[in-house]
Structures are given as C-alpha cells and as structure tokens.
Amino acid sequence: MENIYNLSKGVNWPYALLLLLVTLLGISCKTDIYDEFDQSVNAPLAISTSKDAVVLQESLAASEAVAFNWTTGSNYGTNNSISYTLYLDRQGNNFQNAVATDMGKASFQKKYSVKELNDLLLGLNLMPGVEATLEAKVVSNVSGTDLSDSTITTLKVTPYQPVTTTLFLIGDAAPNDWNADEATPLKLNPSAPGRFTWQGRLKAGEFKFITTKGAFLPSYNKGTSPTQLVYRTADAQPDDKFTITKAGLYAISVNLLDMTVSIVEGSAPPYSELWIVGDATPNGWNIDNPNKLRVDRSNPYVFTYNEVLKAGEFKIPTFTGNGWAGDFYMPLVNNPDLSSTGVQLVRGGTPDLKWKITTPGAYKIKLDLETMKINITPFIPPTQIWLVGDATPNGWDIGNATPLVRDAANPNVFTYTGALKAGEFKFPLQKDFTGDYYMPVTPNEDATSTEMKFVPGGQPDNKWRISADQAGNYKITIDVLHETIQFQKQ
C-alpha cells in the first residue's frame, strides 16, 4: 500500500486528466469526421423514387406525392464532405430548363407534396391531364475539389390544372348587384383547395360566380341541378344562373373540385324589434316609452343604438312579456367592463343584470343576435369628411375629394352644398380608397335615402347612386353619430 501511495503521489494529476480529455476529443472528432465525410467512401451514387408513376389530384394537395432518394456516393478517399443538388426536367430536355434544388450536405432525400410537384410540373410546361415522363438527376460535389458524380432516373407523372384561389358572387340577388368590379368575395378554405364559403343577405333575383373581379368570364354557373356547377369560358355557352325567390340570410358553400354548391336559407332572427331602457338613456326607466334600436337593413340580426348616454345603467327589453316581466338581453354579469362583448337572453328579466355607463358621452352600441356579442364603444367624431365619386364635382380623384363642412354647433353634423351629377358617391374619412367610409346601408340607394353606415376599410363597397332625373343642386346633411343622411334638393 505504501508503494502504491508513493507512486500516485508522484503523478501530475491535472496534466494526466488534460491528456485523457484531449485523447477522448480526438476520438470523438475522428468519429464525427468519418460520419460526415467518409460514409460509403467508394459506393457509387444512385437515385431512386418511392413510386414509378404518380397521377396528381388537387383534392390531395397537401399529401405526399413522391420522394426522391439517393445514396451517399464517394468522396474518393479525400475525407472531404459531399454536397448534393437535385435536378428535375421533362424527359428529352437534357436538363436545359431543369428545376435545381440545392440539398446541401448529409441530405439524401427530397419529398414533394402533391401541390408542390404539380406547381413544378406546370412550370416545366407539362400539360394537365396528360401523362409525361419526368427525369430526375442528383449531382454530388466533393468540397474543395473538382470531383463530382451524377445519376439519373425517370418518373411517370400526370399533373392537374388547379382551380382558382379567388371566387366572387355577382348578380341582382348579390349584395353589389351585377357590378363585376365590386363583386362580393367568397372565403377560401386554406386547407381545402377549391372550397369556398359565404354568409350574408341575398335579395330575390339571380346570381352566379366569377373568378376575377371586373371579368365576367370565366364563371361558374348553374349546372343540371341547383346543386351542380358548370364552368363557363365563352359567351356562346349557356348562362344559367342560380335563383333566389325569397330575400333573406343565406349560407353558400362551393366545392370546385366536385363542382357542387350548397345554398341554405338561414333562420330568421328571434326578434325584429328591440329597445333600450335605463337611466343612462334619454327616456330613462320609462318601460312604456323606451328608446328603440335600429335594425340593420343589410343584416336583420344586427341592431344598433347610437346616442349620447348619461352616467347610469341600461338593459335591452324584447317585449315578449308584460313590461318588466318580459325577456331582456343582458350582460353575463352585472355592470361588466364595457370592453366585454358577452350577452345573454334572460327569460323573465331575472336575475336583473345591467350594463353601466360611468363616463357620460356619445356611444355606439351594436348587438349581433347571430354571434351573441355586443360592442359598446365611446364615439369621437372625425374632424373632416370628404365626398368622392363620379356624381361629385371632382369625380373619383381621391386626392382631390370634395370636403364637407363641419357644423360649428354640433361636431357630429357635416354638410355639402353643391351639384350632384348622375353617378355614384360615398364619404371617405381619409383621402385613401382603402380607408374608412360612411356608405349607404345597401347598394345603390338614391336621394331618398335617410340612413347611412360606418364601414371600416370600405368593404362591402356600397355607394349612393344618383339617377339622371335626380341630378341637380343639393344640400346633403349627415349625422355621423346617429348615422343619418338627408338630401335637400335646391
């Protein structure tokens, strides 16, 4: 034991540990080098595909179409790394217009989804629906040298013609009538190609679908039944349209892959009239004379009340019972923060929950019975509003739009006095076509209109339309709080 102890005492342990660590790191680095640079050093480069042929279908756009696999190839004993490039081209083109993909180092596979491969094939000018042969080549390059290798394989492919990614509603039943420039967009399902949906109010009349704003062709029309679509590309082809016999709310679903359409009439809102009562409102707690909400003529599920409110409470009676014993729309809890959008129908008015205004002033209240949400928003009027449109003195020149005059006594009131030609107009709040507007509630209202609507972002793009018979000099008065408009012909 003494001899062993003396031997150990003579060893420089920090130096020995450092030597051991360097040795281990050297072994590790050598392993990494061989793992990355010296795999199958003398193996030939080879490429293969997971399938011999693929017929692409848009309904499977997100699924895997094919995988290209290749071996490591050789670095010719250099211990240098190998990088790879994959080339795809139509057969017989000698890769002159190939799609090249840099795969980097230590990468031995490239997978393509159906959509990715189809886009690539169309970019190579292969015909949709026609089988063709694709050539694939992988080229290896040994880093720091001129050494390289390549190998080729083939794949039978049949691409498809993808359907449109935009679809619009047009017709006298549609919100913006037959105006192709203002056609109503449907919403594309991002995970399902060719699937579109829309919900809204349709008028009695006809409609069809177009793929591009401003262009009547191509269009999707009614096929052999009200649930079938037909693709129309020429004026000489039949122009059958879908028919709405009863105005109302509708839900439309379109599937362009199986050429079907579903048009479902929605149920009517539970109430066609609503009121507001409470000491925050002008008529207070007088249940026999409450203030009335305004129903949105473009969406009967939506009710609005815009007014100067006092500090106090309010709730929304339906008058389905006798006075206070009736049903009320109320908040989810008593006196919630006004940023809360929750609302409920309380049968019989108990428990008696109310909204509370703590800061008196102008407010805009919007109640949506379809989504069961309420928005209570303090209102500050704009300082400037303009008039733009071909009915106005400066036409559609938004940078030179005609200003309205703000009433010195009432900041919510603006007026325009001057000529209106036959044509259209609306009220922008900025000199910007993508800004906010005051617009008519429904498209093409004329000089008999008495209501208007604040439209953030200007969509849907409704406008007033002045006919040749109505053209002349006018005083137009708008109230931006109560959202009213008055035309007085001079």
Side-chain angles (χ1 to χ4, degrees):
M1 291 293 294
E2 184 177 352
N3 291 337
I4 295 173
Y5 171 77
N6 289 336
L7 178 64
S8 301
K9 186 176 180 182
V11 174
N12 187 335
W13 285 108
Y15 176 79
L17 290 173
L18 179 61
L19 180 62
L20 176 62
L21 179 61
V22 170
T23 302
L24 290 174
L25 286 174
I27 294 172
S28 174
C29 290
K30 184 175 182 180
T31 300
D32 290 344
I33 290 171
Y34 278 99
D35 282 346
E36 181 177 356
F37 299 145
D38 204 31
Q39 299 177 47
S40 303
V41 167
N42 296 310
L45 182 64
I47 186 172
S48 62
T49 58
S50 60
K51 300 176 183 178
D52 295 326
V54 290
V55 178
L56 302 178
Q57 302 177 53
E58 191 166 12
S59 59
L60 303 174
S63 61
E64 182 181 315
V66 68
F68 294 92
N69 304 284
W70 53 92
T71 61
T72 57
S74 175
N75 62 10
Y76 303 98
T78 64
N79 282 342
N80 292 350
S81 61
I82 307 172
S83 59
Y84 305 92
T85 304
L86 178 65
Y87 296 85
L88 300 177
D89 202 353
R90 55 195 304 166
Q91 189 178 46
N93 206 33
N94 296 319
F95 296 97
Q96 295 301 305
N97 297 308
V99 175
T101 304
D102 182 2
M103 300 305 302
K105 301 173 183 177
S107 178
F108 310 108
Q109 184 183 70
K110 171 62 178 175
K111 293 181 179 180
Y112 283 95
S113 71
V114 169
K115 183 180 185 305
E116 288 173 333
L117 184 59
N118 193 73
D119 290 344
L120 185 150
L121 298 178
L122 295 181
L124 294 174
N125 296 318
L126 297 184
M127 294 294 294
V130 178
E131 185 182 72
T133 301
L134 184 71
E135 283 189 318
K137 176 174 71 171
V138 65
V139 175
S140 66
N141 287 277
V142 180
S143 299
T145 75
D146 295 329
L147 301 172
S148 65
D149 197 0
S150 67
T151 181
I152 296 175
T153 191
T154 60
L155 174 70
K156 298 289 185 182
V157 291
T158 305
Y160 59 83
Q161 179 61 53
V163 296
T164 180
T165 57
T166 57
L167 196 66
F168 302 88
L169 192 65
I170 188 172
D172 52 8
N176 291 329
D177 213 270
W178 287 108
N179 187 346
D181 293 325
E182 304 297 341
T184 302
L186 281 78
K187 183 178 180 180
L188 173 67
N189 184 332
S191 60
R195 301 283 186 100
F196 295 85
T197 56
W198 180 83
Q199 291 186 1
R201 187 167 181 80
L202 293 177
K203 298 167 285 186
E206 296 180 318
F207 73 88
K208 59 181 177 180
F209 305 98
I210 57 176
T211 64
T212 307
K213 269 192 174 184
F216 286 97
L217 290 172
S219 66
Y220 286 90
N221 290 53
K222 185 173 79 69
T224 56
S225 75
T227 62
Q228 293 295 315
L229 293 167
V230 63
Y231 189 55
R232 182 170 177 264
T233 58
D235 288 328
Q237 294 173 327
D239 192 17
D240 296 327
K241 307 172 188 70
F242 299 94
T243 301
I244 298 297
T245 58
K246 176 186 173 184
L249 293 172
Y250 287 84
I252 298 176
S253 298
V254 174
N255 187 335
L256 298 184
L257 298 187
D258 63 15
M259 297 295 281
T260 60
V261 60
S262 169
I263 305 167
V264 179
E265 184 177 4
S267 59
Y271 302 99
S272 59
E273 294 180 305
L274 290 174
W275 292 262
I276 187 170
V277 66
D279 54 359
T281 69
N283 292 356
W285 288 112
N286 187 350
I287 193 64
D288 296 321
N289 188 30
N291 296 102
K292 192 171 185 178
L293 277 68
R294 185 170 100 180
V295 63
D296 188 331
R297 288 183 287 110
S298 66
N299 186 349
Y301 282 88
V302 174
F303 293 79
T304 58
Y305 184 71
N306 303 340
E307 192 53 85
V308 176
L309 300 179
K310 296 172 282 188
E313 297 178 315
F314 71 88
K315 52 186 177 180
I316 300 172
T318 66
F319 288 103
T320 53
N322 295 321
W324 299 113
D327 300 336
F328 286 78
Y329 282 102
M330 295 179 175
L332 303 181
V333 297
N334 197 41
N335 299 159
D337 189 281
L338 295 185
S339 63
S340 175
T341 61
V343 64
Q344 63 179 324
L345 180 65
V346 179
R347 302 292 185 184
T350 302
D352 188 15
L353 308 174
K354 298 178 275 299
W355 288 278
K356 186 172 185 178
I357 301 295
T358 56
T359 303
Y363 286 83
K364 290 194 172 186
I365 299 174
K366 177 183 175 182
L367 173 63
D368 190 328
L369 300 185
E370 186 173 25
T371 61
M372 286 298 285
K373 289 185 179 180
I374 190 168
N375 296 99
I376 305 170
T377 310
F379 176 69
I380 300 174
T383 58
Q384 182 63 69
I385 298 177
W386 291 267
L387 190 67
V388 67
D390 53 2
T392 71
N394 296 326
W396 288 109
D397 183 358
I398 192 70
N400 194 30
T402 303
L404 277 72
V405 177
R406 192 178 192 183
D407 191 303
N410 187 344
N412 295 313
V413 174
F414 294 78
T415 59
Y416 164 75
T417 304
L420 285 180
K421 298 172 284 188
E424 298 177 318
F425 75 91
K426 54 186 176 179
F427 299 106
L429 276 68
Q430 306 90 21
K431 291 186 176 183
D432 181 354
F433 280 119
T434 62
D436 302 332
Y437 285 82
Y438 283 99
M439 294 178 171
V441 178
T442 60
N444 303 318
E445 296 190 22
D446 61 15
T448 63
S449 175
T450 60
E451 296 178 346
M452 65 181 191
K453 185 176 181 178
F454 175 71
V455 182
Q459 294 295 328
D461 189 15
N462 296 337
K463 307 177 213 42
W464 284 275
R465 185 182 294 274
I466 302 300
S467 66
D469 293 339
Q470 290 180 329
N473 291 320
Y474 282 86
K475 180 181 180 181
I476 303 176
T477 303
I478 64 171
D479 184 328
V480 294
L481 171 60
H482 299 100
E483 298 188 356
T484 60
I485 185 169
Q486 181 183 25
F487 292 83
Q488 294 174 291
K489 199 165 187 180
Q490 304 293 295

